[in-house]
Amino acid sequence: MSINNESINNKLISKYEYKKQHIFIGGGIATGKTTMLNLLNEYMDYYTNTLLIKEYIDYDKEGVIKLKQLFNGLITDYEFQTYVLNCYEKHLNSPIYENADFILWDRHPSEALEIFCKDENSLSKEERNKLKQRLEQIYRRYEIPLLTNNDVSIINIDTSRISVEIAQEALINIFIHSAMLGITDGSIFVLLYCGDLEAQFKRVVKRGRQVELETYKKKEDLSKINQCYINFYVKLITEKTSSKK
């Protein structure tokens, strides 16, 4: 039996455009981001094309040097964040990204401005505008969702109360399974934080990155970046709630 293609009503045929789904893992120092991402990547890459976009310090051998230069005042915040965005774009401008169904992110790119350059004195007005424009170009070019989009879910996990391994299993069961099956097509931002400052500081010491040990010499030194993430999360929730009214 042959099929008469002319009998098909083309108006009834809709093209299904599969869009990439993004999983952003954000959070302060030593909150479990790298462990979470590695566990998720190991699981997901077995079943589907998955790209892990690593943080600059784990992606580029120059990362530690750049971070140390920043802390020692040898480069500006603008120069450093430009370098960070360059690292992101090296990941994105590749066939691997084009072919991936799921993208795992170590931080959302917006954290460059919203967290690490939150202080008005960190950038000049011109520098801030340039970084903002660069981010907008990256979002458009690679179709990266904004965290305020309605199809981006936001959750937070305290890794001092729930182990990263258990949190990873929960995330797979609650979000990733349904996404892989095509039941949901949105993205998600997971904020990891450590509600126990002493435990967080012990993680920093155990990890042993010299540049971090020189910056965070006592547990109280972690409070500033932790508070930045709390404010960032509250702002996101507020904006998303307001947009639904």
Side-chain angles (χ1 to χ4, degrees), residues 74-208:
L74 300 177
I75 60 174
T76 65
D77 284 289
Y78 175 76
E79 291 171 323
F80 182 74
Q81 293 305 330
T82 297
Y83 160 74
V84 170
L85 295 183
N86 287 342
C87 287
Y88 278 137
E89 196 147 19
K90 286 178 183 177
H91 278 290
L92 297 167
N93 190 21
S94 68
I96 300 176
Y97 178 77
E98 290 181 11
N99 295 327
D101 299 320
F102 288 88
I103 314 298
L104 289 168
W105 289 80
D106 193 329
R107 305 186 192 279
H108 188 278
S110 64
E111 294 175 46
L113 284 178
E114 296 291 338
I115 299 293
F116 300 103
C117 292
K118 184 67 175 176
D119 188 342
E120 291 184 2
N121 296 324
S122 60
L123 298 170
S124 68
K125 185 176 180 180
E126 181 181 2
E127 289 172 338
R128 191 172 295 277
N129 286 335
K130 284 183 178 179
L131 285 179
K132 186 177 180 180
Q133 290 173 4
R134 175 80 185 281
L135 281 167
E136 290 171 350
Q137 289 171 354
I138 290 174
Y139 297 152
R140 286 196 304 270
R141 181 176 182 182
Y142 302 104
E143 298 182 338
I144 300 168
L146 301 177
L147 296 182
T148 51
N149 288 0
N150 290 332
D151 63 346
V152 178
S153 302
I154 296 179
I155 63 172
N156 68 82
I157 299 172
D158 182 355
T159 58
S160 70
R161 299 174 63 87
I162 302 174
S163 72
V164 174
E165 290 77 12
I166 292 176
Q168 174 250 359
E169 290 179 4
L171 188 59
I172 287 173
N173 291 327
I174 294 170
F175 177 80
I176 293 173
H177 277 168
S178 60
M180 285 182 170
L181 292 171
I183 298 172
T184 59
D185 61 358
S187 296
I188 190 169
F189 173 72
V190 182
L191 175 67
L192 299 183
Y193 71 100
C194 183
D196 185 333
L197 199 60
E198 185 171 350
Q200 185 181 7
F201 183 67
K202 286 180 179 178
R203 293 177 188 176
V204 173
V205 174
K206 183 178 180 180
R207 184 158 65 182

Side-chain angles (χ1 to χ4, degrees), residues 5 14 19 33 47-48 60 62 68 70 75 84 90 110 128 142 144-145 148 155 161 163 197 202 211 220-221 236 245:
N5 291 328
S14 60
K19 68 176 183 179
K33 296 187 303 298
Y47 295 102
T48 186
D60 181 35
E62 297 292 318
K68 195 165 187 176
L70 175 68
I75 60 174
V84 170
K90 286 178 183 177
S110 64
R128 191 172 295 277
Y142 302 104
I144 300 168
T148 51
I155 63 172
R161 299 174 63 87
S163 72
L197 199 60
K202 286 180 179 178
V211 66
E220 290 77 14
D221 294 335
L236 281 176
K245 292 181 179 179

Side-chain angles (χ1 to χ4, degrees), residues 27-29 31 114-116 118 191-194 197 200 216 219-235:
I29 306 297
T31 55
E114 296 291 338
I115 299 293
F116 300 103
K118 184 67 175 176
L191 175 67
L192 299 183
Y193 71 100
C194 183
L197 199 60
Q200 185 181 7
Y216 306 103
K219 64 181 182 181
E220 290 77 14
D221 294 335
L222 294 164
S223 297
K224 182 178 180 180
I225 190 169
N226 288 348
Q227 188 61 49
C228 282
Y229 270 103
I230 292 172
N231 295 342
F232 178 59
Y233 186 82
V234 170
K235 180 183 176 184

